Amino acid sequence: MIAPMTKYSFILLSGMQDSLMDTLQETGLVDISRSSKPVDDRSRELVAEIELLDGLIKGLQKAEVPEGTEPEYIDGDIERLAGGMLMRYSDDAVEMDAIRKQIHQLKIWGNFNPDILHKLEEAGVPIHFHSLPTKQFKPNWADEYPLSVIDADKTHTWFVVAGEDSLPGEIPLPTQNAAQLEKDLRDRENHYSHVLARVASAKARIPELEEKRARCYSELDKYLAGCTAVPAAEDTLLTYVGYAPTESEEEISAKLDQAGFLYIKEEAKVQDNPPISFHNNWFVRQFETLTDMYGRPAYDGFDPTPFISIFFMLFFAFCMGDCGYGLVLLAAGLLLKKVDSFKDMAPLVVILGVATMVIGFLFHTFFSMDISQWQVFAPIKGIFLPAQIAGNDATMVLALVVGILHICLAMVVKTIHQTRTKGFFASLGTWGWTLLIVGGVTVAAFALAGVLDANLTKLIVIVLGVVSALGIFVFNDPKRNKLANIGMGLWDTYNMITGLMGDVLSYLRLYALGLAGSMLGMAFNDMGLMVLGDGSNAILWLPFILLVVIGHTLNIAMCALGAFVHPLRLNFLEFFKNSGYEASGRTYNPLKK
């Protein structure tokens, strides 16, 4: 749900803004509208400092220090020292790599004295070095030139020519031999080991850089908030506007009163465009990231996250549709908790894994094997989904049923929201469509279940049709001419019929993706069994295990990608369109340290 917000208007003397911002940062609850980009030289300096620190931290984290390296303690400004060490670390690594390549090339030519080559050149007998693909080298060149092949393999041929030379593939005259370069490499490696010892010491001081970066972020945030002041009374006064959740009102007021600031607080209104803060339970909070991918609602809108949490989870499990794959996702989510950069998304992965295990079990599928045929599950076969419903594939029917329920829920949400924001009479058109479609689906469900007899069903359908028609064609806009309402009702009818058919059919993707993943998994199982044979040859178990493990790993990766994208699409398009959701709000971002 959307948390109610309180609006705070601050009035203070010019020069007191830093004190106010410090107080608000310590509170960590008030959102002061501020720029997301540098606005002047000071803010640009802070951004540059943050970027520098970020680069140093990433550089030190990526620097590979061999185990057992004894750190050489370095004292002084870690920011300045780390930059210099990373440059030397990079330069030495590049230089050593270049020397090794030169040594590899020169070893082909053997150990020679460059001074002798220069003397021969001065004497009129220059030595030319050549490297050509073996296919381009012609052996008959030796009849025309004083040529000597130094080395050759299937790909390249290396040779030298004395005196005049017009053959292709000539390379620059080597200035050093391999022995000299190997000495240079040893000297560089000694220097590099010294640099590594200092880099190891710098890596231990990464927390200092992270702390400094955090202070810079905090300073930049405070500075940008301070720049949003509106001057008044010939620049002697400054005014600020901020927002905070109403539930924190007492705590904020106590802090501001203690600091002695003058402020006015009032209930935030839609016209103020306050930031949007969600107030959800632990389960729903895991899905707020998905809502933010589309955008937060307006202040007078509704929070779609509770609906996304249920249906995205259900749709994801439908697309995966395998108990074994759910077990893999569950294990992956538990492992992600131990990785700092991914631990925030670990609970969501665990939830999706558990949901996939449940749905996969109901679909009686474990790594694309039908577990309904296993004797161990014989006593509970009744809870498995049947193969067919009304002569059609059960998962296909279930996907369509879930889609219809999803759209019906969206229409109910739209009706309630419009009634709350615009009033009942201004929402009669929406009420008409909701009664017709949601009511019709409900009546059809009860009739098929045998709860309603034919005569009562017919009577309810007639009443629903008449009442809905009045809302759709006559009272869809009470302020408009009735003939115009009828015309608009006909246009809405055309759009609704064509749109709803496409929306419902879109949910078939749940069935299609689940079927595709299951068939591909079965194909890998069959290929593995073909390799294994009757299992009597123990050597064949290794390729069998490798084929099955690699195949299912690829299948899980592809299924997970589709199971993320397509359920997201069904929520963002089908549900949001039929619920009238608009993402026009901004995220609550309090000023804090």
Side-chain angles (χ1 to χ4, degrees), residues 107-140:
K107 279 185 176 180
I108 295 171
W109 307 110
N111 194 12
F112 60 88
N113 190 337
D115 294 336
I116 296 178
L117 295 180
H118 287 297
K119 290 179 180 180
L120 286 171
E121 185 175 5
E122 291 173 357
V125 189
I127 304 299
H128 303 276
F129 290 74
H130 291 262
S131 174
L132 273 178
T134 299
K135 291 182 179 180
Q136 298 180 16
F137 178 76
K138 298 178 180 180
N140 61 358

Side-chain angles (χ1 to χ4, degrees), residues 369-537:
M369 295 181 288
D370 188 357
I371 60 176
S372 66
Q373 306 302 318
W374 297 1
Q375 290 299 321
V376 68
F377 293 114
I380 56 172
K381 281 187 177 181
I383 67 173
F384 291 148
L385 186 71
Q388 289 191 330
I389 297 177
N392 298 296
D393 189 284
T395 51
M396 182 182 71
V397 174
L398 198 58
L400 290 174
V401 169
V402 170
I404 292 171
L405 291 176
H406 197 216
I407 291 175
C408 288
L409 177 62
M411 298 186 72
V412 171
V413 170
K414 180 179 180 179
T415 304
I416 295 174
H417 174 62
Q418 282 197 0
T419 303
R420 181 169 61 87
T421 55
K422 297 181 180 179
F424 176 74
F425 290 104
S427 308
L428 288 176
T430 304
W431 272 99
W433 282 114
T434 302
L435 286 173
L436 180 64
I437 295 172
V438 179
V441 169
T442 304
V443 171
F446 281 121
L448 290 173
V451 176
L452 301 176
D453 60 32
N455 292 328
L456 182 57
T457 301
K458 182 178 180 180
L459 177 61
I460 294 175
V461 168
I462 292 173
V463 172
L464 278 177
V466 171
V467 174
S468 299
L470 289 174
I472 295 169
F473 295 103
V474 180
F475 300 110
N476 54 53
D477 189 344
K479 298 180 181 179
R480 194 164 49 197
N481 182 276
K482 294 298 182 286
L483 291 176
N485 279 348
I486 293 174
M488 186 57 65
L490 292 172
W491 176 250
D492 289 343
T493 301
Y494 169 76
N495 289 330
M496 186 64 73
I497 292 174
T498 56
L500 278 179
M501 289 180 61
D503 290 347
V504 172
L505 292 177
S506 289
Y507 290 86
L508 283 174
R509 70 186 67 239
L510 301 175
Y511 160 69
L513 287 168
L515 179 63
S518 177
M519 297 299 290
L520 190 57
M522 290 174 61
F524 286 120
N525 290 342
D526 291 341
M527 287 190 291
L529 291 174
M530 290 171 62
V531 171
L532 181 62
D534 59 3
S536 59
N537 190 342

Side-chain angles (χ1 to χ4, degrees), residues 192-468:
Y192 187 63
S193 62
H194 176 64
V195 172
L196 284 176
R198 296 173 69 85
V199 170
S201 177
K203 286 174 74 73
R205 296 178 64 182
I206 286 178
E208 294 181 36
L209 293 171
E210 291 176 334
E211 184 180 351
K212 189 171 184 180
R213 181 181 60 179
R215 290 198 302 268
C216 288
Y217 268 122
S218 179
E219 181 65 24
L220 176 63
D221 206 28
K222 183 180 77 171
Y223 184 81
L224 291 175
C227 292
T228 62
V230 177
E234 297 182 352
D235 295 340
T236 58
L237 297 178
L238 298 175
T239 61
Y240 291 93
V241 175
Y243 299 90
T246 302
E247 63 182 8
S248 306
E249 187 175 327
E250 292 185 6
E251 180 182 351
I252 296 171
S253 296
K255 288 276 188 181
L256 294 173
D257 292 340
Q258 182 180 1
F261 291 109
L262 176 62
Y263 65 94
I264 301 170
K265 63 180 180 181
E266 57 186 323
E267 181 182 349
K269 299 180 176 59
V270 177
Q271 296 80 3
D272 298 325
N273 188 29
I276 306 302
S277 175
F278 290 145
H279 186 72
N280 294 312
N281 59 39
W282 178 88
F283 173 77
V284 176
R285 278 201 305 272
Q286 310 311 315
F287 296 84
E288 289 179 359
T289 302
L290 303 182
T291 301
D292 288 336
M293 290 174 66
Y294 191 88
R296 296 211 168 186
Y299 190 59
D300 62 344
F302 65 93
D303 179 10
T305 314
F307 307 106
I308 291 177
S309 65
I310 298 298
F311 285 97
F312 179 85
M313 177 185 67
L314 180 61
F315 295 162
F316 184 94
F318 254 86
C319 292
M320 296 295 288
D322 191 290
C323 186
Y325 290 1
L327 189 62
V328 172
L329 287 174
L330 175 60
L334 295 176
L335 290 175
L336 286 176
K337 288 184 177 180
K338 300 180 180 180
V339 182
D340 290 339
S341 54
F342 293 102
K343 63 182 180 181
D344 290 341
M345 63 180 294
L348 178 59
V349 177
V350 169
I351 290 171
L352 297 177
V354 172
T356 301
M357 288 176 62
V358 173
I359 296 297
F361 185 77
L362 295 177
F363 288 175
H364 47 85
T365 305
F366 185 82
F367 288 107
S368 300
M369 295 181 288
D370 188 357
I371 60 176
S372 66
Q373 306 302 318
W374 297 1
Q375 290 299 321
V376 68
F377 293 114
I380 56 172
K381 281 187 177 181
I383 67 173
F384 291 148
L385 186 71
Q388 289 191 330
I389 297 177
N392 298 296
D393 189 284
T395 51
M396 182 182 71
V397 174
L398 198 58
L400 290 174
V401 169
V402 170
I404 292 171
L405 291 176
H406 197 216
I407 291 175
C408 288
L409 177 62
M411 298 186 72
V412 171
V413 170
K414 180 179 180 179
T415 304
I416 295 174
H417 174 62
Q418 282 197 0
T419 303
R420 181 169 61 87
T421 55
K422 297 181 180 179
F424 176 74
F425 290 104
S427 308
L428 288 176
T430 304
W431 272 99
W433 282 114
T434 302
L435 286 173
L436 180 64
I437 295 172
V438 179
V441 169
T442 304
V443 171
F446 281 121
L448 290 173
V451 176
L452 301 176
D453 60 32
N455 292 328
L456 182 57
T457 301
K458 182 178 180 180
L459 177 61
I460 294 175
V461 168
I462 292 173
V463 172
L464 278 177
V466 171
V467 174
S468 299

Side-chain angles (χ1 to χ4, degrees), residues 99 103 106 111-115 174-187:
I99 293 175
I103 291 174
L106 288 175
N111 194 12
F112 60 88
N113 190 337
D115 294 336
T175 58
Q176 290 178 298
N177 59 33
Q180 292 172 320
L181 286 174
E182 286 176 347
K183 180 180 180 301
D184 292 344
L185 179 61
R186 287 192 297 272
D187 293 339

